[in-house]
Amino acid sequence: MSHTNKLKIFNDPIYGFITIPDTLLYDLIQHPYFQRLRRISQMGLSYLVYPGAHHTRFHHALGCMHIMQKAVEVLRYKGVLISNEEERALYVAILLHDIGHGPFSHAMEHSIVENVNHEAISMLFMNKLNEEFNGQLTLAIQVFKGEYHRKFMLQLISSQLDMDRMDYLKRDSFYSGVAEGNINSDRLIQMMNVVDDVLVIEEKGIYSVEKFLMARRLMYWQAYLHKTSLVAENMLVRVLKRAKELAQKGTILPGSEPLLYFMQHKVELADFDDAVLEKFSQLDDSDIISALKAWQHHNDFILSALSKMIINRDLLKIKLNSEKYTPEDVEELKSKLANFYRISQQEASYFIFKGKIKNQAYNKDVEPIKILKKDKTIEDVVEASDQLNLKALSKPVTKYFICFPKVLAENS
């Protein structure tokens, strides 16, 4: 059987043509687990703010693989030895780094399953695929878990300047239309090098790094932490929490079979056997949207009200503040709402809640971005930069929010 038909080409609006470098990667892309990513939006509910933001995790994963190919090419050209097995492991690891995301990406991590993050589920999928592909993913899994001795390989997949961030900033900026997020990934990749097994950026690339960190900060405020996306995601988490509460009490809910399974059972990491993983792999955005469409007609007031709000984009009001909101602020609003709708305080808490968001474009305590200077010394980018704003970008900025129904704003 000829394999040549497996070296396919994708046309990508960001990079132009993306090639699949080998047959294993083609087979992984063809796998139902990976094809599922076509049905999971990259930016969750951000399309309620930016109508163009309908791109998917599938799109993003291919983009990451493409720029990883560029990075390997640049590093080899600079004399960094990367074997064919290592090269393939890098492509597999970056291709599958997000395979564990649930519907609408981050909103689901604590509402469909109990306290299981997408990284843990990605790991389960990778191990399962490794069985199916007779151990061909073993090295990729080692790199992904940080167990491989060549540290820079993990940095390419997961660090403060990795292929994942480079692709999602460029892609999310393109599809949302938030131009401030657009970065020059080509230039950043051209400036990469490896010294003592650590990824570094050559000094002449320092402005590109500054622009990258600035873009990251602006994308967080303007897109990822935009107050409308924030309130919509919080509402989605609460709809699912309510659906779970009802389902576990025996209320009959419409919904797809895999979604109802997760609504009726408490699923923690320890419960993920092959059957549960298979069920999880059946879930995508369409399960949630069709459930919300049905639930808006349910006779449970909370379930139907919240579902209707999300479907029709008639969301709760959200206020942001640099000061914390007090429990008294919340209680006062809850009492007003309970009287207004004749519901209990506990039911009112589905519509009134507070929280906080944090934006830190660069964290020098985690694993700094290293700059390789002309005299061969290595410095943290904050020290190497003459830009004062990089120091500012390293400080976390926290904002507090409170959400409540518009009726309270109108009647206050």
Side-chain angles (χ1 to χ4, degrees):
M1 191 184 107
S2 154
H3 278 311
T4 47
N5 65 337
K6 291 192 173 182
L7 299 177
K8 292 254 189 287
I9 291 180
F10 288 94
N11 195 345
D12 181 74
I14 312 278
Y15 309 114
F17 291 111
I18 290 180
T19 53
I20 300 178
D22 83 22
T23 55
L24 170 66
L25 289 154
Y26 175 84
D27 292 334
L28 287 170
I29 290 168
Q30 281 297 87
H31 195 283
Y33 289 168
F34 192 82
Q35 289 292 321
R36 176 184 83 99
L37 298 179
R38 288 182 184 272
R39 302 184 298 279
I40 292 186
S41 65
Q42 171 73 14
M43 287 177 72
L45 288 162
S46 294
Y47 62 81
L48 294 174
V49 184
Y50 299 108
H54 272 291
H55 55 304
T56 65
R57 293 262 159 202
F58 179 86
H59 225 155
H60 162 62
L62 289 177
C64 289
M65 178 190 74
H66 173 73
I67 57 175
M68 185 66 90
Q69 286 171 265
K70 295 262 180 276
V72 168
E73 198 181 300
V74 166
L75 292 176
R76 277 182 172 158
Y77 176 72
K78 292 181 181 177
V80 180
L81 294 177
I82 298 174
S83 71
N84 291 344
E85 288 74 24
E86 288 171 334
E87 177 184 12
R88 179 195 247 189
L90 284 170
Y91 298 159
V92 169
I94 197 73
L95 190 70
L96 302 180
H97 76 280
D98 269 349
I99 198 164
H101 265 292
F104 290 109
S105 301
H106 296 280
M108 299 297 99
E109 292 191 5
H110 305 294
S111 34
I112 286 185
V113 287
E114 311 281 325
N115 304 317
V116 186
N117 62 18
H118 70 273
E119 288 90 354
I121 300 174
S122 290
M123 213 55 255
L124 296 169
F125 276 128
M126 282 190 192
N127 288 328
K128 185 82 184 115
L129 287 166
N130 200 23
E131 282 170 32
E132 282 184 38
F133 286 91
N134 306 320
Q136 290 185 80
L137 281 67
T138 304
L139 184 57
I141 290 171
Q142 278 183 335
V143 172
F144 187 78
K145 287 164 94 170
E147 290 169 359
Y148 192 56
H149 64 279
R150 304 191 74 187
K151 190 177 163 206
F152 79 90
M153 294 198 170
L154 176 64
Q155 289 178 299
L156 288 168
I157 295 158
S158 175
S159 66
Q160 297 203 72
L161 193 59
D162 56 27
M163 301 303 116
D164 173 32
R165 289 182 182 192
M166 273 190 216
D167 182 80
Y168 77 61
L169 283 175
K170 210 168 167 58
R171 192 170 297 280
D172 295 348
S173 151
F174 176 88
Y175 280 96
S176 62
V178 178
E180 288 81 357
N182 192 9
I183 57 159
N184 189 347
S185 54
D186 281 350
R187 169 108 180 132
L188 282 164
I189 289 169
Q190 286 299 329
M191 294 297 133
M192 285 184 167
N193 209 331
V194 172
V195 176
D196 295 338
D197 214 31
V198 173
L199 198 63
V200 294
I201 299 288
E202 291 162 2
E203 189 172 9
K204 50 185 189 284
I206 194 161
Y207 300 118
S208 304
V209 176
E210 288 172 358
K211 173 130 181 3
F212 167 83
L213 293 173
M214 201 63 198
R216 188 170 144 76
R217 177 173 183 271
L218 293 170
M219 279 301 283
Y220 267 86
W221 286 137
Q222 277 184 266
Y224 311 131
L225 298 176
H226 187 289
K227 61 181 195 159
T228 306
S229 314
L230 199 61
V231 68
E233 283 203 355
N234 271 283
M235 289 169 72
L236 188 52
V237 169
R238 281 164 174 77
V239 173
L240 288 160
K241 183 176 163 215
R242 181 60 172 181
K244 252 186 174 176
E245 212 171 81
L246 295 170
Q248 288 174 13
K249 283 183 190 156
T251 305
I252 303 295
L253 292 177
S256 69
E257 193 264 326
L259 180 63
L260 292 179
Y261 175 84
F262 286 98
M263 294 296 99
Q264 287 155 0
H265 300 87
K266 260 195 149 116
V267 180
E268 295 182 353
L269 191 55
D271 305 317
F272 264 92
D273 55 13
D274 283 359
V276 172
L277 190 64
E278 194 50 47
K279 278 213 174 19
F280 187 87
S281 78
Q282 302 295 316
L283 282 177
D284 56 50
D285 291 6
S286 52
D287 297 82
I288 304 294
I289 291 291
S290 49
L292 293 175
K293 283 170 65 181
W295 294 347
Q296 60 181 341
H297 307 297
H298 198 270
N299 58 16
D300 178 72
F301 171 72
I302 296 169
L303 191 69
S304 73
L306 288 171
S307 299
K308 210 173 279 159
M309 284 174 170
I310 297 174
I311 288 291
N312 300 320
R313 199 194 176 279
D314 183 15
L315 306 168
L316 297 171
K317 192 160 176 56
I318 177 168
K319 277 188 175 168
L320 284 175
N321 202 335
S322 51
E323 302 291 308
K324 279 185 182 177
Y325 286 98
T326 64
E328 293 76 52
D329 294 334
V330 177
E331 289 311 313
E332 187 187 340
L333 287 166
K334 272 197 219 163
S335 305
K336 280 185 184 168
L337 193 72
N339 290 337
F340 188 84
Y341 280 130
R342 305 223 180 311
I343 56 175
S344 71
Q345 291 269 4
Q346 196 260 329
E347 290 169 324
S349 67
Y350 277 96
F351 300 94
I352 294 165
F353 46 89
K354 64 186 177 77
K356 66 175 179 183
I357 48 176
K358 190 171 109 172
N359 187 354
Q360 186 172 13
Y362 177 63
N363 185 345
K364 58 181 192 298
D365 303 330
V366 178
E367 187 178 8
I369 296 174
K370 304 279 197 188
I371 301 293
L372 175 64
K373 308 206 40 174
K374 290 194 180 61
D375 63 5
K376 299 290 179 238
T377 56
I378 290 177
E379 240 181 350
D380 182 328
V381 65
V382 173
E383 311 309 322
S385 163
D386 54 8
Q387 283 276 58
L388 288 170
N389 64 5
L390 278 199
K391 290 198 170 51
L393 287 178
S394 314
K395 288 197 175 70
V397 179
T398 304
K399 289 185 183 178
Y400 301 90
F401 66 85
I402 189 163
C403 302
F404 54 90
K406 288 175 182 159
V407 290
L408 295 182
E410 287 153 14
N411 294 319
S412 58

